[in-house]
Structures are given as structure tokens and as C-alpha cells.
Amino acid sequence: MGVVLIGMMGSGKSTVGARLAEECGGRFIDLDDLMEQVAGMTNRQIFEERGEKGFREHEKRVLSSIEQHERLVLAAGGGTPAFHDNLAKLRALGTVVYLRVSPQSLFERLRDDRQDRPLLDDDLEETVLNLLDKREPIYLQADVTVDAEHSVEDIVADIRRKVGW
Ligand code: S3P
């Protein structure tokens, strides 16, 4: 079984996922990056041309194309588990791990890192709180929740302990 990382934008899914895969000889896939490769345009462009609905359709299709792999490490997008039957698809790919971060840390991490995230074009704090409100119950359906306020090394160690890698 692989490991699938879910959580808010800014929770560290890509950084932690890459490190976890490196340590464990896994194959790392960042769903956002794969979506851009497949579409031949940036996710911001997909949002602009096709709206969020089109973006979510594309996300669903690209997710469906990912095959199971024993040491797959998949970093989902922040919204991935909240749409369509994506959560079931993520579960089929591996142990689902929620990287949990406080709203305050998310504000700080995202403040200077918004250009690739069209959902954050408006008021950052309000948007993050609204999204968290809707998504936290979904994220908490993960098999494992880790406190992602720590260093990348510590988070990776915690995940490895909890998933038995
Ligand atoms: C989104 C999160 C982004 C990306 C898109 C939408 C979301 O991924 O998929 O901008 O709905 O939370 P990251 O969580 O990797 O930033």
C-alpha cells in the first residue's frame, strides 16, 4: 500500500511527501504537478479557463489515472478529498494521512505563497477559515492524522511510525 497525504494548502504535503519517498525509496507523485503536466498549462490557467468545476473534473480524471504502487507516495491537492468520489480513490491508493496544521500557521505559511493558488486571491484568513470549516470533517476521515506543526524530519518520522514504513 502507498501513502496518500491530504490536508490544507500550506500543510506541507509536497515537501513531506517528497522527503518520505526519498527516505523510503518510494515513487513520489504530486497531484497538482501531474495535473499541470497532463493539461500542458498551470493550475491557475485551468481555473481561469474552465472555472473551478473544470478544474475539479480534471483533478478527478488525473487522479483516476494513477495506478497503485507498493511504495507510492501521493500528495493530493488541498481540495482533492472534498470532491466527487476522490476520497475513495485516494483510499484505494494507500493509507490516507492527514497533515493537520493550525489556522494561524496556515495564515503565516500561505501569506507569501499564494500566486499558484487561485482560491486564495481574496481575503486569505477568511478563505482559509471557510475552507477548513468545510474540509476538516473530511480530512479527519483519514486513516491517520499527524500534527504537521513540526519539522519535516519529525513529521516524516511520525508518518513512518504510524504507517509502519
Ligand atoms: C486547492 C489546493 C491546491 C490546488 C488548487 C486548489 C484547494 O493544492 O490543488 O489550487 O482547493 O485547496 P495544494 O494544497 O497543493 O496547494
Side-chain angles (χ1 to χ4, degrees):
M1 277 301 258
V3 168
V4 173
L5 303 177
I6 64 170
M8 284 288 288
M9 295 176 259
S11 60
K13 301 179 293 291
S14 304
T15 312
V16 168
R19 181 71 65 86
L20 175 66
E22 190 184 310
E23 276 190 24
C24 299
R27 180 195 295 172
F28 177 58
I29 296 179
D30 185 303
L31 183 59
D32 283 330
D33 290 348
L34 184 60
M35 288 171 65
E36 293 190 340
Q37 278 169 31
V38 172
M41 55 179 147
T42 65
N43 285 332
R44 177 174 283 281
Q45 285 170 324
I46 301 174
F47 257 90
E48 279 163 8
E49 286 190 14
R50 308 179 193 166
E52 182 168 2
K53 192 161 187 293
F55 177 86
R56 297 302 171 192
E57 287 298 328
H58 179 59
E59 183 176 50
K60 173 188 154 112
R61 251 192 321 272
V62 174
L63 174 61
S64 303
S65 74
I66 298 174
E67 288 175 6
Q68 244 177 308
H69 182 270
E70 176 148 3
R71 287 269 151 160
L72 171 70
V73 178
L74 174 66
T80 312
F83 292 86
H84 304 291
D85 58 347
N86 294 347
L87 183 56
K89 291 201 171 108
L90 295 173
R91 281 191 197 290
L93 291 172
T95 305
V96 178
V97 177
Y98 171 29
L99 301 189
R100 192 176 199 182
V101 177
S102 71
Q104 199 53 46
S105 298
L106 291 175
F107 302 155
E108 280 161 25
R109 293 182 190 192
L110 291 169
R111 196 159 285 135
D112 300 318
D113 196 12
R114 302 160 71 171
Q115 68 279 7
D116 293 333
R117 295 178 165 122
L119 288 179
L120 299 180
D121 285 349
D122 300 326
D123 184 88
L124 175 70
E125 301 195 358
E126 190 187 320
T127 307
V128 166
L129 289 177
N130 281 336
L131 288 175
L132 250 186
D133 208 42
K134 281 198 209 114
R135 293 178 180 174
E136 178 98 340
I138 299 166
Y139 293 148
L140 286 170
Q141 292 175 44
D143 301 302
V144 170
T145 294
V146 301
D147 179 352
E149 299 279 348
H150 304 288
S151 67
V152 175
E153 290 74 20
D154 287 352
I155 298 166
V156 168
D158 194 18
I159 294 172
R160 292 185 65 176
R161 213 169 20 248
K162 285 177 170 156
V163 305
W165 272 23

mmCIF file with all atom_site columns, all heavy atoms in Angstrom, residues 62-77:
data_model
loop_
_atom_site.group_PDB
_atom_site.id
_atom_site.type_symbol
_atom_site.label_atom_id
_atom_site.label_alt_id
_atom_site.label_comp_id
_atom_site.label_asym_id
_atom_site.label_entity_id
_atom_site.label_seq_id
_atom_site.pdbx_PDB_ins_code
_atom_site.Cartn_x
_atom_site.Cartn_y
_atom_site.Cartn_z
_atom_site.occupancy
_atom_site.B_iso_or_equiv
_atom_site.pdbx_formal_charge
_atom_site.auth_seq_id
_atom_site.auth_comp_id
_atom_site.auth_asym_id
_atom_site.auth_atom_id
_atom_site.pdbx_PDB_model_num
ATOM 1   N N   . VAL A 1 62 ? -7.341  12.975 -13.605 1.00 0.00 ? 62 VAL A N   1
ATOM 2   C CA  . VAL A 1 62 ? -5.906  12.690 -13.430 1.00 0.00 ? 62 VAL A CA  1
ATOM 3   C C   . VAL A 1 62 ? -5.709  11.751 -12.242 1.00 0.00 ? 62 VAL A C   1
ATOM 4   O O   . VAL A 1 62 ? -4.918  10.799 -12.313 1.00 0.00 ? 62 VAL A O   1
ATOM 5   C CB  . VAL A 1 62 ? -5.103  14.010 -13.267 1.00 0.00 ? 62 VAL A CB  1
ATOM 6   C CG1 . VAL A 1 62 ? -3.648  13.723 -12.933 1.00 0.00 ? 62 VAL A CG1 1
ATOM 7   C CG2 . VAL A 1 62 ? -5.194  14.836 -14.549 1.00 0.00 ? 62 VAL A CG2 1
ATOM 8   N N   . LEU A 1 63 ? -6.462  11.968 -11.180 1.00 0.00 ? 63 LEU A N   1
ATOM 9   C CA  . LEU A 1 63 ? -6.369  11.062 -10.022 1.00 0.00 ? 63 LEU A CA  1
ATOM 10  C C   . LEU A 1 63 ? -6.705  9.630  -10.442 1.00 0.00 ? 63 LEU A C   1
ATOM 11  O O   . LEU A 1 63 ? -6.030  8.676  -10.044 1.00 0.00 ? 63 LEU A O   1
ATOM 12  C CB  . LEU A 1 63 ? -7.301  11.550 -8.904  1.00 0.00 ? 63 LEU A CB  1
ATOM 13  C CG  . LEU A 1 63 ? -7.428  10.640 -7.684  1.00 0.00 ? 63 LEU A CG  1
ATOM 14  C CD1 . LEU A 1 63 ? -6.076  10.452 -6.994  1.00 0.00 ? 63 LEU A CD1 1
ATOM 15  C CD2 . LEU A 1 63 ? -8.450  11.207 -6.693  1.00 0.00 ? 63 LEU A CD2 1
ATOM 16  N N   . SER A 1 64 ? -7.738  9.485  -11.272 1.00 0.00 ? 64 SER A N   1
ATOM 17  C CA  . SER A 1 64 ? -8.156  8.143  -11.706 1.00 0.00 ? 64 SER A CA  1
ATOM 18  C C   . SER A 1 64 ? -7.082  7.440  -12.518 1.00 0.00 ? 64 SER A C   1
ATOM 19  O O   . SER A 1 64 ? -7.090  6.205  -12.625 1.00 0.00 ? 64 SER A O   1
ATOM 20  C CB  . SER A 1 64 ? -9.406  8.222  -12.583 1.00 0.00 ? 64 SER A CB  1
ATOM 21  O OG  . SER A 1 64 ? -10.426 8.857  -11.888 1.00 0.00 ? 64 SER A OG  1
ATOM 22  N N   . SER A 1 65 ? -6.196  8.224  -13.123 1.00 0.00 ? 65 SER A N   1
ATOM 23  C CA  . SER A 1 65 ? -5.175  7.623  -13.989 1.00 0.00 ? 65 SER A CA  1
ATOM 24  C C   . SER A 1 65 ? -3.975  7.094  -13.190 1.00 0.00 ? 65 SER A C   1
ATOM 25  O O   . SER A 1 65 ? -3.116  6.420  -13.739 1.00 0.00 ? 65 SER A O   1
ATOM 26  C CB  . SER A 1 65 ? -4.683  8.650  -15.014 1.00 0.00 ? 65 SER A CB  1
ATOM 27  O OG  . SER A 1 65 ? -3.837  9.597  -14.372 1.00 0.00 ? 65 SER A OG  1
ATOM 28  N N   . ILE A 1 66 ? -3.932  7.421  -11.902 1.00 0.00 ? 66 ILE A N   1
ATOM 29  C CA  . ILE A 1 66 ? -2.773  6.998  -11.097 1.00 0.00 ? 66 ILE A CA  1
ATOM 30  C C   . ILE A 1 66 ? -2.946  5.550  -10.667 1.00 0.00 ? 66 ILE A C   1
ATOM 31  O O   . ILE A 1 66 ? -3.993  5.172  -10.133 1.00 0.00 ? 66 ILE A O   1
ATOM 32  C CB  . ILE A 1 66 ? -2.611  7.909  -9.859  1.00 0.00 ? 66 ILE A CB  1
ATOM 33  C CG1 . ILE A 1 66 ? -2.353  9.348  -10.302 1.00 0.00 ? 66 ILE A CG1 1
ATOM 34  C CG2 . ILE A 1 66 ? -1.476  7.409  -8.963  1.00 0.00 ? 66 ILE A CG2 1
ATOM 35  C CD1 . ILE A 1 66 ? -2.327  10.351 -9.156  1.00 0.00 ? 66 ILE A CD1 1
ATOM 36  N N   . GLU A 1 67 ? -1.907  4.782  -10.919 1.00 0.00 ? 67 GLU A N   1
ATOM 37  C CA  . GLU A 1 67 ? -2.009  3.362  -10.582 1.00 0.00 ? 67 GLU A CA  1
ATOM 38  C C   . GLU A 1 67 ? -1.404  3.063  -9.223  1.00 0.00 ? 67 GLU A C   1
ATOM 39  O O   . GLU A 1 67 ? -0.484  3.746  -8.777  1.00 0.00 ? 67 GLU A O   1
ATOM 40  C CB  . GLU A 1 67 ? -1.302  2.531  -11.658 1.00 0.00 ? 67 GLU A CB  1
ATOM 41  C CG  . GLU A 1 67 ? -2.114  2.547  -12.945 1.00 0.00 ? 67 GLU A CG  1
ATOM 42  C CD  . GLU A 1 67 ? -1.412  1.834  -14.077 1.00 0.00 ? 67 GLU A CD  1
ATOM 43  O OE1 . GLU A 1 67 ? -0.347  1.219  -13.839 1.00 0.00 ? 67 GLU A OE1 1
ATOM 44  O OE2 . GLU A 1 67 ? -1.940  1.894  -15.199 1.00 0.00 ? 67 GLU A OE2 1
ATOM 45  N N   . GLN A 1 68 ? -1.947  2.030  -8.610  1.00 0.00 ? 68 GLN A N   1
ATOM 46  C CA  . GLN A 1 68 ? -1.440  1.588  -7.316  1.00 0.00 ? 68 GLN A CA  1
ATOM 47  C C   . GLN A 1 68 ? 0.020   1.178  -7.426  1.00 0.00 ? 68 GLN A C   1
ATOM 48  O O   . GLN A 1 68 ? 0.432   0.639  -8.457  1.00 0.00 ? 68 GLN A O   1
ATOM 49  C CB  . GLN A 1 68 ? -2.231  0.364  -6.888  1.00 0.00 ? 68 GLN A CB  1
ATOM 50  C CG  . GLN A 1 68 ? -3.035  0.571  -5.644  1.00 0.00 ? 68 GLN A CG  1
ATOM 51  C CD  . GLN A 1 68 ? -3.834  -0.671 -5.346  1.00 0.00 ? 68 GLN A CD  1
ATOM 52  O OE1 . GLN A 1 68 ? -4.543  -1.178 -6.202  1.00 0.00 ? 68 GLN A OE1 1
ATOM 53  N NE2 . GLN A 1 68 ? -3.694  -1.172 -4.152  1.00 0.00 ? 68 GLN A NE2 1
ATOM 54  N N   . HIS A 1 69 ? 0.755   1.426  -6.388  1.00 0.00 ? 69 HIS A N   1
ATOM 55  C CA  . HIS A 1 69 ? 2.167   1.052  -6.374  1.00 0.00 ? 69 HIS A CA  1
ATOM 56  C C   . HIS A 1 69 ? 2.533   0.864  -4.921  1.00 0.00 ? 69 HIS A C   1
ATOM 57  O O   . HIS A 1 69 ? 2.119   1.657  -4.062  1.00 0.00 ? 69 HIS A O   1
ATOM 58  C CB  . HIS A 1 69 ? 2.996   2.181  -7.005  1.00 0.00 ? 69 HIS A CB  1
ATOM 59  C CG  . HIS A 1 69 ? 4.449   1.897  -7.092  1.00 0.00 ? 69 HIS A CG  1
ATOM 60  N ND1 . HIS A 1 69 ? 5.346   2.215  -6.102  1.00 0.00 ? 69 HIS A ND1 1
ATOM 61  C CD2 . HIS A 1 69 ? 5.163   1.310  -8.072  1.00 0.00 ? 69 HIS A CD2 1
ATOM 62  C CE1 . HIS A 1 69 ? 6.557   1.826  -6.464  1.00 0.00 ? 69 HIS A CE1 1
ATOM 63  N NE2 . HIS A 1 69 ? 6.478   1.283  -7.653  1.00 0.00 ? 69 HIS A NE2 1
ATOM 64  N N   . GLU A 1 70 ? 3.285   -0.179 -4.652  1.00 0.00 ? 70 GLU A N   1
ATOM 65  C CA  . GLU A 1 70 ? 3.566   -0.530 -3.264  1.00 0.00 ? 70 GLU A CA  1
ATOM 66  C C   . GLU A 1 70 ? 4.149   0.623  -2.455  1.00 0.00 ? 70 GLU A C   1
ATOM 67  O O   . GLU A 1 70 ? 3.812   0.830  -1.302  1.00 0.00 ? 70 GLU A O   1
ATOM 68  C CB  . GLU A 1 70 ? 4.528   -1.713 -3.247  1.00 0.00 ? 70 GLU A CB  1
ATOM 69  C CG  . GLU A 1 70 ? 4.912   -2.046 -1.854  1.00 0.00 ? 70 GLU A CG  1
ATOM 70  C CD  . GLU A 1 70 ? 5.169   -3.520 -1.661  1.00 0.00 ? 70 GLU A CD  1
ATOM 71  O OE1 . GLU A 1 70 ? 5.103   -4.267 -2.645  1.00 0.00 ? 70 GLU A OE1 1
ATOM 72  O OE2 . GLU A 1 70 ? 5.439   -3.871 -0.526  1.00 0.00 ? 70 GLU A OE2 1
ATOM 73  N N   . ARG A 1 71 ? 5.062   1.384  -3.079  1.00 0.00 ? 71 ARG A N   1
ATOM 74  C CA  . ARG A 1 71 ? 5.713   2.481  -2.357  1.00 0.00 ? 71 ARG A CA  1
ATOM 75  C C   . ARG A 1 71 ? 5.353   3.839  -2.963  1.00 0.00 ? 71 ARG A C   1
ATOM 76  O O   . ARG A 1 71 ? 6.174   4.740  -3.007  1.00 0.00 ? 71 ARG A O   1
ATOM 77  C CB  . ARG A 1 71 ? 7.227   2.287  -2.351  1.00 0.00 ? 71 ARG A CB  1
ATOM 78  C CG  . ARG A 1 71 ? 7.662   1.171  -1.432  1.00 0.00 ? 71 ARG A CG  1
ATOM 79  C CD  . ARG A 1 71 ? 7.968   1.703  -0.030  1.00 0.00 ? 71 ARG A CD  1
ATOM 80  N NE  . ARG A 1 71 ? 7.733   0.688  0.982   1.00 0.00 ? 71 ARG A NE  1
ATOM 81  C CZ  . ARG A 1 71 ? 8.250   0.699  2.208   1.00 0.00 ? 71 ARG A CZ  1
ATOM 82  N NH1 . ARG A 1 71 ? 9.047   1.652  2.570   1.00 0.00 ? 71 ARG A NH1 1
ATOM 83  N NH2 . ARG A 1 71 ? 7.950   -0.229 3.075   1.00 0.00 ? 71 ARG A NH2 1
ATOM 84  N N   . LEU A 1 72 ? 4.101   3.922  -3.417  1.00 0.00 ? 72 LEU A N   1
ATOM 85  C CA  . LEU A 1 72 ? 3.638   5.218  -3.934  1.00 0.00 ? 72 LEU A CA  1
ATOM 86  C C   . LEU A 1 72 ? 3.473   6.204  -2.776  1.00 0.00 ? 72 LEU A C   1
ATOM 87  O O   . LEU A 1 72 ? 2.932   5.858  -1.730  1.00 0.00 ? 72 LEU A O   1
ATOM 88  C CB  . LEU A 1 72 ? 2.276   5.030  -4.619  1.00 0.00 ? 72 LEU A CB  1
ATOM 89  C CG  . LEU A 1 72 ? 1.542   6.321  -5.032  1.00 0.00 ? 72 LEU A CG  1
ATOM 90  C CD1 . LEU A 1 72 ? 2.248   7.002  -6.199  1.00 0.00 ? 72 LEU A CD1 1
ATOM 91  C CD2 . LEU A 1 72 ? 0.097   6.008  -5.422  1.00 0.00 ? 72 LEU A CD2 1
ATOM 92  N N   . VAL A 1 73 ? 3.973   7.412  -2.969  1.00 0.00 ? 73 VAL A N   1
ATOM 93  C CA  . VAL A 1 73 ? 3.653   8.498  -2.039  1.00 0.00 ? 73 VAL A CA  1
ATOM 94  C C   . VAL A 1 73 ? 2.950   9.566  -2.873  1.00 0.00 ? 73 VAL A C   1
ATOM 95  O O   . VAL A 1 73 ? 3.543   10.132 -3.799  1.00 0.00 ? 73 VAL A O   1
ATOM 96  C CB  . VAL A 1 73 ? 4.912   9.103  -1.382  1.00 0.00 ? 73 VAL A CB  1
ATOM 97  C CG1 . VAL A 1 73 ? 4.516   10.269 -0.465  1.00 0.00 ? 73 VAL A CG1 1
ATOM 98  C CG2 . VAL A 1 73 ? 5.676   8.043  -0.598  1.00 0.00 ? 73 VAL A CG2 1
ATOM 99  N N   . LEU A 1 74 ? 1.701   9.807  -2.561  1.00 0.00 ? 74 LEU A N   1
ATOM 100 C CA  . LEU A 1 74 ? 0.914   10.767 -3.342  1.00 0.00 ? 74 LEU A CA  1
ATOM 101 C C   . LEU A 1 74 ? 0.562   11.968 -2.472  1.00 0.00 ? 74 LEU A C   1
ATOM 102 O O   . LEU A 1 74 ? -0.033  11.816 -1.406  1.00 0.00 ? 74 LEU A O   1
ATOM 103 C CB  . LEU A 1 74 ? -0.376  10.095 -3.843  1.00 0.00 ? 74 LEU A CB  1
ATOM 104 C CG  . LEU A 1 74 ? -1.374  11.019 -4.550  1.00 0.00 ? 74 LEU A CG  1
ATOM 105 C CD1 . LEU A 1 74 ? -0.806  11.544 -5.867  1.00 0.00 ? 74 LEU A CD1 1
ATOM 106 C CD2 . LEU A 1 74 ? -2.693  10.285 -4.817  1.00 0.00 ? 74 LEU A CD2 1
ATOM 107 N N   . ALA A 1 75 ? 0.948   13.162 -2.959  1.00 0.00 ? 75 ALA A N   1
ATOM 108 C CA  . ALA A 1 75 ? 0.495   14.389 -2.304  1.00 0.00 ? 75 ALA A CA  1
ATOM 109 C C   . ALA A 1 75 ? -0.731  14.865 -3.067  1.00 0.00 ? 75 ALA A C   1
ATOM 110 O O   . ALA A 1 75 ? -0.641  15.234 -4.247  1.00 0.00 ? 75 ALA A O   1
ATOM 111 C CB  . ALA A 1 75 ? 1.603   15.447 -2.343  1.00 0.00 ? 75 ALA A CB  1
ATOM 112 N N   . ALA A 1 76 ? -1.888  14.824 -2.412  1.00 0.00 ? 76 ALA A N   1
ATOM 113 C CA  . ALA A 1 76 ? -3.121  15.291 -3.061  1.00 0.00 ? 76 ALA A CA  1
ATOM 114 C C   . ALA A 1 76 ? -3.145  16.819 -3.042  1.00 0.00 ? 76 ALA A C   1
ATOM 115 O O   . ALA A 1 76 ? -2.336  17.460 -2.366  1.00 0.00 ? 76 ALA A O   1
ATOM 116 C CB  . ALA A 1 76 ? -4.330  14.733 -2.314  1.00 0.00 ? 76 ALA A CB  1
ATOM 117 N N   . GLY A 1 77 ? -4.065  17.414 -3.790  1.00 0.00 ? 77 GLY A N   1
ATOM 118 C CA  . GLY A 1 77 ? -4.301  18.851 -3.659  1.00 0.00 ? 77 GLY A CA  1
ATOM 119 C C   . GLY A 1 77 ? -5.167  19.080 -2.420  1.00 0.00 ? 77 GLY A C   1
ATOM 120 O O   . GLY A 1 77 ? -5.827  18.142 -1.932  1.00 0.00 ? 77 GLY A O   1
#
